[in-house]
PDB file of all heavy atoms in Angstrom:
ATOM      1  N   LEU A  83       1.195 -10.637  -1.376  1.00 98.00           N
ATOM      2  CA  LEU A  83       2.297 -10.829  -0.437  1.00 98.00           C
ATOM      3  C   LEU A  83       1.774 -11.488   0.828  1.00 98.00           C
ATOM      4  O   LEU A  83       0.779 -11.040   1.407  1.00 98.00           O
ATOM      5  CB  LEU A  83       2.942  -9.486  -0.107  1.00 98.00           C
ATOM      6  CG  LEU A  83       4.042  -9.486   0.948  1.00 98.00           C
ATOM      7  CD1 LEU A  83       5.242 -10.291   0.460  1.00 98.00           C
ATOM      8  CD2 LEU A  83       4.444  -8.056   1.283  1.00 98.00           C
ATOM      9  N   VAL A  84       2.452 -12.536   1.248  1.00 98.00           N
ATOM     10  CA  VAL A  84       2.041 -13.259   2.441  1.00 98.00           C
ATOM     11  C   VAL A  84       3.284 -13.724   3.190  1.00 98.00           C
ATOM     12  O   VAL A  84       4.327 -13.980   2.582  1.00 98.00           O
ATOM     13  CB  VAL A  84       1.133 -14.453   2.073  1.00 98.00           C
ATOM     14  CG1 VAL A  84       1.894 -15.474   1.244  1.00 98.00           C
ATOM     15  CG2 VAL A  84       0.536 -15.094   3.309  1.00 98.00           C
ATOM     16  N   GLN A  85       3.175 -13.825   4.500  1.00 98.00           N
ATOM     17  CA  GLN A  85       4.284 -14.330   5.301  1.00 98.00           C
ATOM     18  C   GLN A  85       4.380 -15.840   5.205  1.00 98.00           C
ATOM     19  O   GLN A  85       3.390 -16.531   4.947  1.00 98.00           O
ATOM     20  CB  GLN A  85       4.121 -13.916   6.763  1.00 98.00           C
ATOM     21  CG  GLN A  85       4.268 -12.430   7.017  1.00 98.00           C
ATOM     22  CD  GLN A  85       4.214 -12.091   8.489  1.00 98.00           C
ATOM     23  OE1 GLN A  85       3.815 -12.901   9.325  1.00 98.00           O
ATOM     24  NE2 GLN A  85       4.622 -10.881   8.830  1.00 98.00           N
ATOM     25  N   ALA A  86       5.580 -16.346   5.408  1.00 98.00           N
ATOM     26  CA  ALA A  86       5.775 -17.787   5.417  1.00 98.00           C
ATOM     27  C   ALA A  86       4.825 -18.439   6.415  1.00 98.00           C
ATOM     28  O   ALA A  86       4.644 -17.957   7.530  1.00 98.00           O
ATOM     29  CB  ALA A  86       7.219 -18.126   5.762  1.00 98.00           C
ATOM     30  N   GLY A  87       4.222 -19.539   5.992  1.00 98.00           N
ATOM     31  CA  GLY A  87       3.247 -20.229   6.810  1.00 98.00           C
ATOM     32  C   GLY A  87       1.819 -19.795   6.560  1.00 98.00           C
ATOM     33  O   GLY A  87       0.880 -20.452   7.032  1.00 98.00           O
ATOM     34  N   GLY A  88       1.641 -18.722   5.814  1.00 98.00           N
ATOM     35  CA  GLY A  88       0.320 -18.212   5.521  1.00 98.00           C
ATOM     36  C   GLY A  88      -0.323 -18.897   4.341  1.00 98.00           C
ATOM     37  O   GLY A  88       0.214 -19.855   3.779  1.00 98.00           O
ATOM     38  N   SER A  89      -1.478 -18.371   3.936  1.00 98.00           N
ATOM     39  CA  SER A  89      -2.262 -18.983   2.871  1.00 98.00           C
ATOM     40  C   SER A  89      -2.737 -17.949   1.869  1.00 98.00           C
ATOM     41  O   SER A  89      -2.923 -16.776   2.198  1.00 98.00           O
ATOM     42  CB  SER A  89      -3.489 -19.697   3.445  1.00 98.00           C
ATOM     43  OG  SER A  89      -3.126 -20.737   4.337  1.00 98.00           O
ATOM     44  N   LEU A  90      -2.936 -18.400   0.651  1.00 98.00           N
ATOM     45  CA  LEU A  90      -3.537 -17.615  -0.406  1.00 98.00           C
ATOM     46  C   LEU A  90      -4.405 -18.533  -1.253  1.00 98.00           C
ATOM     47  O   LEU A  90      -4.135 -19.733  -1.350  1.00 98.00           O
ATOM     48  CB  LEU A  90      -2.484 -16.964  -1.311  1.00 98.00           C
ATOM     49  CG  LEU A  90      -1.723 -15.748  -0.799  1.00 98.00           C
ATOM     50  CD1 LEU A  90      -0.626 -15.383  -1.797  1.00 98.00           C
ATOM     51  CD2 LEU A  90      -2.661 -14.566  -0.596  1.00 98.00           C
ATOM     52  N   ARG A  91      -5.417 -17.966  -1.872  1.00 98.00           N
ATOM     53  CA  ARG A  91      -6.215 -18.705  -2.835  1.00 98.00           C
ATOM     54  C   ARG A  91      -6.201 -17.966  -4.165  1.00 98.00           C
ATOM     55  O   ARG A  91      -6.639 -16.819  -4.252  1.00 98.00           O
ATOM     56  CB  ARG A  91      -7.662 -18.896  -2.378  1.00 98.00           C
ATOM     57  CG  ARG A  91      -8.439 -19.846  -3.308  1.00 98.00           C
ATOM     58  CD  ARG A  91      -9.861 -20.083  -2.870  1.00 98.00           C
ATOM     59  NE  ARG A  91     -10.720 -18.931  -3.120  1.00 98.00           N
ATOM     60  CZ  ARG A  91     -12.042 -18.984  -3.192  1.00 98.00           C
ATOM     61  NH1 ARG A  91     -12.666 -20.150  -3.002  1.00 98.00           N
ATOM     62  NH2 ARG A  91     -12.740 -17.889  -3.401  1.00 98.00           N
ATOM     63  N   LEU A  92      -5.692 -18.637  -5.179  1.00 98.00           N
ATOM     64  CA  LEU A  92      -5.673 -18.089  -6.518  1.00 98.00           C
ATOM     65  C   LEU A  92      -6.915 -18.526  -7.280  1.00 98.00           C
ATOM     66  O   LEU A  92      -7.417 -19.633  -7.086  1.00 98.00           O
ATOM     67  CB  LEU A  92      -4.431 -18.550  -7.279  1.00 98.00           C
ATOM     68  CG  LEU A  92      -3.078 -18.292  -6.619  1.00 98.00           C
ATOM     69  CD1 LEU A  92      -1.956 -18.747  -7.548  1.00 98.00           C
ATOM     70  CD2 LEU A  92      -2.917 -16.830  -6.246  1.00 98.00           C
ATOM     71  N   SER A  93      -7.388 -17.655  -8.149  1.00 98.00           N
ATOM     72  CA  SER A  93      -8.522 -17.967  -8.993  1.00 98.00           C
ATOM     73  C   SER A  93      -8.148 -17.767 -10.448  1.00 98.00           C
ATOM     74  O   SER A  93      -7.325 -16.912 -10.777  1.00 98.00           O
ATOM     75  CB  SER A  93      -9.722 -17.069  -8.657  1.00 98.00           C
ATOM     76  OG  SER A  93     -10.149 -17.251  -7.329  1.00 98.00           O
ATOM     77  N   CYS A  94      -8.749 -18.548 -11.307  1.00 97.00           N
ATOM     78  CA  CYS A  94      -8.559 -18.421 -12.738  1.00 97.00           C
ATOM     79  C   CYS A  94      -9.921 -18.485 -13.395  1.00 97.00           C
ATOM     80  O   CYS A  94     -10.583 -19.529 -13.358  1.00 97.00           O
ATOM     81  CB  CYS A  94      -7.646 -19.531 -13.272  1.00 97.00           C
ATOM     82  SG  CYS A  94      -7.478 -19.566 -15.065  1.00 97.00           S
ATOM     83  N   ALA A  95     -10.342 -17.374 -13.960  1.00 95.00           N
ATOM     84  CA  ALA A  95     -11.637 -17.289 -14.618  1.00 95.00           C
ATOM     85  C   ALA A  95     -11.468 -17.472 -16.115  1.00 95.00           C
ATOM     86  O   ALA A  95     -10.611 -16.840 -16.730  1.00 95.00           O
ATOM     87  CB  ALA A  95     -12.297 -15.950 -14.318  1.00 95.00           C
ATOM     88  N   ALA A  96     -12.294 -18.320 -16.693  1.00 92.00           N
ATOM     89  CA  ALA A  96     -12.218 -18.628 -18.112  1.00 92.00           C
ATOM     90  C   ALA A  96     -13.434 -18.094 -18.842  1.00 92.00           C
ATOM     91  O   ALA A  96     -14.549 -18.104 -18.317  1.00 92.00           O
ATOM     92  CB  ALA A  96     -12.112 -20.132 -18.329  1.00 92.00           C
ATOM     93  N   SER A  97     -13.208 -17.648 -20.045  1.00 90.00           N
ATOM     94  CA  SER A  97     -14.292 -17.174 -20.892  1.00 90.00           C
ATOM     95  C   SER A  97     -14.921 -18.339 -21.638  1.00 90.00           C
ATOM     96  O   SER A  97     -14.366 -19.442 -21.697  1.00 90.00           O
ATOM     97  CB  SER A  97     -13.778 -16.129 -21.880  1.00 90.00           C
ATOM     98  OG  SER A  97     -12.863 -16.714 -22.796  1.00 90.00           O
ATOM     99  N   GLY A  98     -16.074 -18.089 -22.227  1.00 75.00           N
ATOM    100  CA  GLY A  98     -16.727 -19.081 -23.051  1.00 75.00           C
ATOM    101  C   GLY A  98     -17.576 -20.064 -22.273  1.00 75.00           C
ATOM    102  O   GLY A  98     -17.631 -20.045 -21.040  1.00 75.00           O
ATOM    103  N   ARG A  99     -18.214 -20.950 -23.019  1.00 69.00           N
ATOM    104  CA  ARG A  99     -19.108 -21.941 -22.441  1.00 69.00           C
ATOM    105  C   ARG A  99     -18.560 -23.358 -22.547  1.00 69.00           C
ATOM    106  O   ARG A  99     -19.291 -24.318 -22.297  1.00 69.00           O
ATOM    107  CB  ARG A  99     -20.464 -21.866 -23.146  1.00 69.00           C
ATOM    108  CG  ARG A  99     -21.152 -20.516 -23.027  1.00 69.00           C
ATOM    109  CD  ARG A  99     -21.533 -20.232 -21.596  1.00 69.00           C
ATOM    110  NE  ARG A  99     -22.506 -21.187 -21.109  1.00 69.00           N
ATOM    111  CZ  ARG A  99     -22.942 -21.252 -19.851  1.00 69.00           C
ATOM    112  NH1 ARG A  99     -22.460 -20.407 -18.956  1.00 69.00           N
ATOM    113  NH2 ARG A  99     -23.846 -22.157 -19.502  1.00 69.00           N
ATOM    114  N   THR A 100     -17.290 -23.502 -22.896  1.00 76.00           N
ATOM    115  CA  THR A 100     -16.682 -24.808 -23.067  1.00 76.00           C
ATOM    116  C   THR A 100     -15.663 -25.134 -21.986  1.00 76.00           C
ATOM    117  O   THR A 100     -14.836 -26.022 -22.165  1.00 76.00           O
ATOM    118  CB  THR A 100     -16.007 -24.920 -24.450  1.00 76.00           C
ATOM    119  OG1 THR A 100     -14.997 -23.918 -24.577  1.00 76.00           O
ATOM    120  CG2 THR A 100     -17.038 -24.755 -25.553  1.00 76.00           C
ATOM    121  N   PHE A 101     -15.719 -24.442 -20.859  1.00 83.00           N
ATOM    122  CA  PHE A 101     -14.767 -24.635 -19.775  1.00 83.00           C
ATOM    123  C   PHE A 101     -14.699 -26.089 -19.327  1.00 83.00           C
ATOM    124  O   PHE A 101     -13.619 -26.611 -19.036  1.00 83.00           O
ATOM    125  CB  PHE A 101     -15.132 -23.731 -18.604  1.00 83.00           C
ATOM    126  CG  PHE A 101     -14.256 -23.884 -17.404  1.00 83.00           C
ATOM    127  CD1 PHE A 101     -12.962 -23.390 -17.402  1.00 83.00           C
ATOM    128  CD2 PHE A 101     -14.727 -24.508 -16.264  1.00 83.00           C
ATOM    129  CE1 PHE A 101     -12.146 -23.514 -16.289  1.00 83.00           C
ATOM    130  CE2 PHE A 101     -13.925 -24.639 -15.143  1.00 83.00           C
ATOM    131  CZ  PHE A 101     -12.628 -24.139 -15.156  1.00 83.00           C
ATOM    132  N   SER A 102     -15.835 -26.747 -19.254  1.00 84.00           N
ATOM    133  CA  SER A 102     -15.881 -28.114 -18.768  1.00 84.00           C
ATOM    134  C   SER A 102     -15.212 -29.111 -19.700  1.00 84.00           C
ATOM    135  O   SER A 102     -15.020 -30.269 -19.317  1.00 84.00           O
ATOM    136  CB  SER A 102     -17.330 -28.542 -18.520  1.00 84.00           C
ATOM    137  OG  SER A 102     -18.073 -28.531 -19.730  1.00 84.00           O
ATOM    138  N   MET A 103     -14.837 -28.694 -20.887  1.00 89.00           N
ATOM    139  CA  MET A 103     -14.183 -29.569 -21.843  1.00 89.00           C
ATOM    140  C   MET A 103     -12.664 -29.551 -21.711  1.00 89.00           C
ATOM    141  O   MET A 103     -11.973 -30.231 -22.478  1.00 89.00           O
ATOM    142  CB  MET A 103     -14.560 -29.174 -23.272  1.00 89.00           C
ATOM    143  CG  MET A 103     -16.051 -29.281 -23.563  1.00 89.00           C
ATOM    144  SD  MET A 103     -16.682 -30.962 -23.364  1.00 89.00           S
ATOM    145  CE  MET A 103     -15.761 -31.817 -24.640  1.00 89.00           C
ATOM    146  N   TYR A 104     -12.150 -28.796 -20.757  1.00 92.00           N
ATOM    147  CA  TYR A 104     -10.711 -28.634 -20.611  1.00 92.00           C
ATOM    148  C   TYR A 104     -10.232 -29.089 -19.244  1.00 92.00           C
ATOM    149  O   TYR A 104     -10.836 -28.766 -18.218  1.00 92.00           O
ATOM    150  CB  TYR A 104     -10.312 -27.170 -20.795  1.00 92.00           C
ATOM    151  CG  TYR A 104     -10.507 -26.645 -22.193  1.00 92.00           C
ATOM    152  CD1 TYR A 104     -11.723 -26.118 -22.594  1.00 92.00           C
ATOM    153  CD2 TYR A 104      -9.460 -26.684 -23.108  1.00 92.00           C
ATOM    154  CE1 TYR A 104     -11.906 -25.647 -23.878  1.00 92.00           C
ATOM    155  CE2 TYR A 104      -9.636 -26.210 -24.395  1.00 92.00           C
ATOM    156  CZ  TYR A 104     -10.861 -25.692 -24.776  1.00 92.00           C
ATOM    157  OH  TYR A 104     -11.028 -25.214 -26.053  1.00 92.00           O
ATOM    158  N   ALA A 105      -9.134 -29.833 -19.250  1.00 94.00           N
ATOM    159  CA  ALA A 105      -8.374 -29.991 -18.025  1.00 94.00           C
ATOM    160  C   ALA A 105      -7.701 -28.658 -17.713  1.00 94.00           C
ATOM    161  O   ALA A 105      -7.327 -27.921 -18.627  1.00 94.00           O
ATOM    162  CB  ALA A 105      -7.330 -31.094 -18.179  1.00 94.00           C
ATOM    163  N   MET A 106      -7.561 -28.358 -16.433  1.00 95.00           N
ATOM    164  CA  MET A 106      -6.989 -27.087 -16.019  1.00 95.00           C
ATOM    165  C   MET A 106      -5.772 -27.327 -15.142  1.00 95.00           C
ATOM    166  O   MET A 106      -5.690 -28.325 -14.428  1.00 95.00           O
ATOM    167  CB  MET A 106      -8.009 -26.253 -15.248  1.00 95.00           C
ATOM    168  CG  MET A 106      -9.288 -25.957 -16.019  1.00 95.00           C
ATOM    169  SD  MET A 106      -8.997 -24.901 -17.464  1.00 95.00           S
ATOM    170  CE  MET A 106      -8.400 -23.402 -16.660  1.00 95.00           C
ATOM    171  N   GLY A 107      -4.850 -26.391 -15.192  1.00 97.00           N
ATOM    172  CA  GLY A 107      -3.654 -26.545 -14.385  1.00 97.00           C
ATOM    173  C   GLY A 107      -3.056 -25.224 -13.966  1.00 97.00           C
ATOM    174  O   GLY A 107      -3.408 -24.161 -14.490  1.00 97.00           O
ATOM    175  N   TRP A 108      -2.159 -25.326 -12.999  1.00 98.00           N
ATOM    176  CA  TRP A 108      -1.397 -24.179 -12.524  1.00 98.00           C
ATOM    177  C   TRP A 108       0.093 -24.460 -12.693  1.00 98.00           C
ATOM    178  O   TRP A 108       0.559 -25.570 -12.400  1.00 98.00           O
ATOM    179  CB  TRP A 108      -1.687 -23.883 -11.053  1.00 98.00           C
ATOM    180  CG  TRP A 108      -3.055 -23.329 -10.799  1.00 98.00           C
ATOM    181  CD1 TRP A 108      -4.169 -24.015 -10.462  1.00 98.00           C
ATOM    182  CD2 TRP A 108      -3.428 -21.948 -10.859  1.00 98.00           C
ATOM    183  NE1 TRP A 108      -5.229 -23.168 -10.301  1.00 98.00           N
ATOM    184  CE2 TRP A 108      -4.806 -21.888 -10.541  1.00 98.00           C
ATOM    185  CE3 TRP A 108      -2.748 -20.770 -11.144  1.00 98.00           C
ATOM    186  CZ2 TRP A 108      -5.509 -20.686 -10.502  1.00 98.00           C
ATOM    187  CZ3 TRP A 108      -3.448 -19.574 -11.111  1.00 98.00           C
ATOM    188  CH2 TRP A 108      -4.805 -19.538 -10.789  1.00 98.00           C
ATOM    189  N   PHE A 109       0.798 -23.460 -13.157  1.00 98.00           N
ATOM    190  CA  PHE A 109       2.239 -23.494 -13.284  1.00 98.00           C
ATOM    191  C   PHE A 109       2.808 -22.267 -12.590  1.00 98.00           C
ATOM    192  O   PHE A 109       2.086 -21.307 -12.308  1.00 98.00           O
ATOM    193  CB  PHE A 109       2.661 -23.503 -14.758  1.00 98.00           C
ATOM    194  CG  PHE A 109       2.281 -24.757 -15.493  1.00 98.00           C
ATOM    195  CD1 PHE A 109       0.965 -24.989 -15.874  1.00 98.00           C
ATOM    196  CD2 PHE A 109       3.235 -25.707 -15.806  1.00 98.00           C
ATOM    197  CE1 PHE A 109       0.614 -26.145 -16.552  1.00 98.00           C
ATOM    198  CE2 PHE A 109       2.894 -26.864 -16.485  1.00 98.00           C
ATOM    199  CZ  PHE A 109       1.580 -27.084 -16.855  1.00 98.00           C
ATOM    200  N   ARG A 110       4.099 -22.299 -12.326  1.00 98.00           N
ATOM    201  CA  ARG A 110       4.729 -21.131 -11.727  1.00 98.00           C
ATOM    202  C   ARG A 110       6.130 -20.948 -12.288  1.00 98.00           C
ATOM    203  O   ARG A 110       6.765 -21.899 -12.732  1.00 98.00           O
ATOM    204  CB  ARG A 110       4.781 -21.243 -10.202  1.00 98.00           C
ATOM    205  CG  ARG A 110       5.666 -22.359  -9.673  1.00 98.00           C
ATOM    206  CD  ARG A 110       5.510 -22.499  -8.174  1.00 98.00           C
ATOM    207  NE  ARG A 110       6.368 -23.531  -7.620  1.00 98.00           N
ATOM    208  CZ  ARG A 110       6.331 -23.931  -6.361  1.00 98.00           C
ATOM    209  NH1 ARG A 110       5.467 -23.381  -5.507  1.00 98.00           N
ATOM    210  NH2 ARG A 110       7.158 -24.879  -5.926  1.00 98.00           N
ATOM    211  N   GLN A 111       6.577 -19.710 -12.247  1.00 98.00           N
ATOM    212  CA  GLN A 111       7.903 -19.384 -12.744  1.00 98.00           C
ATOM    213  C   GLN A 111       8.530 -18.340 -11.833  1.00 98.00           C
ATOM    214  O   GLN A 111       8.009 -17.230 -11.698  1.00 98.00           O
ATOM    215  CB  GLN A 111       7.846 -18.872 -14.179  1.00 98.00           C
ATOM    216  CG  GLN A 111       9.213 -18.665 -14.807  1.00 98.00           C
ATOM    217  CD  GLN A 111       9.121 -18.409 -16.301  1.00 98.00           C
ATOM    218  OE1 GLN A 111       8.097 -17.943 -16.807  1.00 98.00           O
ATOM    219  NE2 GLN A 111      10.194 -18.715 -17.014  1.00 98.00           N
ATOM    220  N   ALA A 112       9.631 -18.702 -11.216  1.00 97.00           N
ATOM    221  CA  ALA A 112      10.389 -17.792 -10.376  1.00 97.00           C
ATOM    222  C   ALA A 112      11.439 -17.079 -11.219  1.00 97.00           C
ATOM    223  O   ALA A 112      11.834 -17.578 -12.278  1.00 97.00           O
ATOM    224  CB  ALA A 112      11.053 -18.555  -9.230  1.00 97.00           C
ATOM    225  N   PRO A 113      11.906 -15.920 -10.771  1.00 92.00           N
ATOM    226  CA  PRO A 113      12.919 -15.196 -11.537  1.00 92.00           C
ATOM    227  C   PRO A 113      14.142 -16.055 -11.821  1.00 92.00           C
ATOM    228  O   PRO A 113      14.697 -16.684 -10.918  1.00 92.00           O
ATOM    229  CB  PRO A 113      13.274 -14.019 -10.628  1.00 92.00           C
ATOM    230  CG  PRO A 113      12.040 -13.801  -9.814  1.00 92.00           C
ATOM    231  CD  PRO A 113      11.487 -15.181  -9.572  1.00 92.00           C
ATOM    232  N   GLY A 114      14.550 -16.098 -13.081  1.00 94.00           N
ATOM    233  CA  GLY A 114      15.713 -16.864 -13.474  1.00 94.00           C
ATOM    234  C   GLY A 114      15.498 -18.354 -13.547  1.00 94.00           C
ATOM    235  O   GLY A 114      16.452 -19.101 -13.808  1.00 94.00           O
ATOM    236  N   LYS A 115      14.275 -18.810 -13.328  1.00 96.00           N
ATOM    237  CA  LYS A 115      13.975 -20.236 -13.345  1.00 96.00           C
ATOM    238  C   LYS A 115      13.014 -20.574 -14.479  1.00 96.00           C
ATOM    239  O   LYS A 115      12.317 -19.713 -15.011  1.00 96.00           O
ATOM    240  CB  LYS A 115      13.358 -20.678 -12.015  1.00 96.00           C
ATOM    241  CG  LYS A 115      14.186 -20.350 -10.792  1.00 96.00           C
ATOM    242  CD  LYS A 115      15.498 -21.117 -10.784  1.00 96.00           C
ATOM    243  CE  LYS A 115      16.267 -20.842  -9.505  1.00 96.00           C
ATOM    244  NZ  LYS A 115      17.563 -21.572  -9.491  1.00 96.00           N
ATOM    245  N   GLU A 116      12.989 -21.850 -14.847  1.00 96.00           N
ATOM    246  CA  GLU A 116      12.053 -22.312 -15.851  1.00 96.00           C
ATOM    247  C   GLU A 116      10.669 -22.474 -15.248  1.00 96.00           C
ATOM    248  O   GLU A 116      10.511 -22.686 -14.050  1.00 96.00           O
ATOM    249  CB  GLU A 116      12.524 -23.642 -16.449  1.00 96.00           C
ATOM    250  CG  GLU A 116      13.832 -23.562 -17.203  1.00 96.00           C
ATOM    251  CD  GLU A 116      14.235 -24.889 -17.815  1.00 96.00           C
ATOM    252  OE1 GLU A 116      13.593 -25.915 -17.493  1.00 96.00           O
ATOM    253  OE2 GLU A 116      15.176 -24.900 -18.615  1.00 96.00           O
ATOM    254  N   ARG A 117       9.667 -22.369 -16.095  1.00 96.00           N
ATOM    255  CA  ARG A 117       8.311 -22.592 -15.644  1.00 96.00           C
ATOM    256  C   ARG A 117       8.135 -24.043 -15.223  1.00 96.00           C
ATOM    257  O   ARG A 117       8.600 -24.955 -15.911  1.00 96.00           O
ATOM    258  CB  ARG A 117       7.333 -22.230 -16.757  1.00 96.00           C
ATOM    259  CG  ARG A 117       5.871 -22.329 -16.371  1.00 96.00           C
ATOM    260  CD  ARG A 117       4.971 -21.842 -17.495  1.00 96.00           C
ATOM    261  NE  ARG A 117       5.177 -20.421 -17.787  1.00 96.00           N
ATOM    262  CZ  ARG A 117       4.490 -19.750 -18.695  1.00 96.00           C
ATOM    263  NH1 ARG A 117       3.552 -20.353 -19.404  1.00 96.00           N
ATOM    264  NH2 ARG A 117       4.748 -18.458 -18.898  1.00 96.00           N
ATOM    265  N   GLU A 118       7.479 -24.261 -14.092  1.00 96.00           N
ATOM    266  CA  GLU A 118       7.303 -25.605 -13.585  1.00 96.00           C
ATOM    267  C   GLU A 118       5.844 -25.905 -13.277  1.00 96.00           C
ATOM    268  O   GLU A 118       5.064 -25.027 -12.921  1.00 96.00           O
ATOM    269  CB  GLU A 118       8.157 -25.838 -12.328  1.00 96.00           C
ATOM    270  CG  GLU A 118       7.752 -25.001 -11.129  1.00 96.00           C
ATOM    271  CD  GLU A 118       8.524 -25.358  -9.872  1.00 96.00           C
ATOM    272  OE1 GLU A 118       9.159 -26.433  -9.832  1.00 96.00           O
ATOM    273  OE2 GLU A 118       8.497 -24.559  -8.914  1.00 96.00           O
ATOM    274  N   PHE A 119       5.504 -27.161 -13.396  1.00 96.00           N
ATOM    275  CA  PHE A 119       4.166 -27.637 -13.106  1.00 96.00           C
ATOM    276  C   PHE A 119       3.877 -27.566 -11.614  1.00 96.00           C
ATOM    277  O   PHE A 119       4.727 -27.900 -10.791  1.00 96.00           O
ATOM    278  CB  PHE A 119       4.018 -29.078 -13.603  1.00 96.00           C
ATOM    279  CG  PHE A 119       2.780 -29.766 -13.123  1.00 96.00           C
ATOM    280  CD1 PHE A 119       1.551 -29.490 -13.699  1.00 96.00           C
ATOM    281  CD2 PHE A 119       2.838 -30.697 -12.100  1.00 96.00           C
ATOM    282  CE1 PHE A 119       0.399 -30.124 -13.266  1.00 96.00           C
ATOM    283  CE2 PHE A 119       1.698 -31.341 -11.660  1.00 96.00           C
ATOM    284  CZ  PHE A 119       0.480 -31.049 -12.244  1.00 96.00           C
ATOM    285  N   VAL A 120       2.664 -27.150 -11.265  1.00 97.00           N
ATOM    286  CA  VAL A 120       2.239 -27.070  -9.873  1.00 97.00           C
ATOM    287  C   VAL A 120       1.108 -28.051  -9.583  1.00 97.00           C
ATOM    288  O   VAL A 120       1.199 -28.868  -8.670  1.00 97.00           O
ATOM    289  CB  VAL A 120       1.795 -25.645  -9.499  1.00 97.00           C
ATOM    290  CG1 VAL A 120       1.228 -25.611  -8.083  1.00 97.00           C
ATOM    291  CG2 VAL A 120       2.965 -24.677  -9.633  1.00 97.00           C
ATOM    292  N   ALA A 121       0.032 -27.970 -10.357  1.00 97.00           N
ATOM    293  CA  ALA A 121      -1.135 -28.813 -10.098  1.00 97.00           C
ATOM    294  C   ALA A 121      -2.014 -28.862 -11.332  1.00 97.00           C
ATOM    295  O   ALA A 121      -1.987 -27.962 -12.170  1.00 97.00           O
ATOM    296  CB  ALA A 121      -1.939 -28.286  -8.905  1.00 97.00           C
ATOM    297  N   ALA A 122      -2.809 -29.926 -11.444  1.00 96.00           N
ATOM    298  CA  ALA A 122      -3.751 -30.062 -12.545  1.00 96.00           C
ATOM    299  C   ALA A 122      -5.014 -30.751 -12.060  1.00 96.00           C
ATOM    300  O   ALA A 122      -4.992 -31.496 -11.073  1.00 96.00           O
ATOM    301  CB  ALA A 122      -3.138 -30.854 -13.703  1.00 96.00           C
ATOM    302  N   ILE A 123      -6.102 -30.511 -12.770  1.00 96.00           N
ATOM    303  CA  ILE A 123      -7.388 -31.110 -12.428  1.00 96.00           C
ATOM    304  C   ILE A 123      -8.090 -31.526 -13.706  1.00 96.00           C
ATOM    305  O   ILE A 123      -8.020 -30.836 -14.726  1.00 96.00           O
ATOM    306  CB  ILE A 123      -8.241 -30.128 -11.588  1.00 96.00           C
ATOM    307  CG1 ILE A 123      -9.494 -30.808 -11.050  1.00 96.00           C
ATOM    308  CG2 ILE A 123      -8.585 -28.887 -12.405  1.00 96.00           C
ATOM    309  CD1 ILE A 123     -10.184 -29.992  -9.957  1.00 96.00           C
TER     310      ILE A 123
END
């Protein structure tokens, strides 16, 4: 929980030794809404 104007850092830890072989991305889904693309690397 954060106030408007604030910041957060999300982390995603992956298992295995093949992490570098995958593009990674973040998506989000709000209540009653479809999942949407946020960012990719």
Side-chain angles (χ1 to χ4, degrees):
L83 175 65
V84 64
Q85 292 185 346
S89 299
L90 284 173
R91 188 179 74 160
L92 306 183
S93 299
C94 174
S97 66
R99 300 294 296 174
T100 60
F101 177 73
S102 63
M103 299 299 297
Y104 293 87
M106 302 295 297
W108 289 94
F109 293 75
R110 66 187 182 186
Q111 187 169 25
K115 305 295 184 181
E116 296 182 350
R117 184 175 296 182
E118 65 174 344
F119 169 77
V120 174
I123 188 166

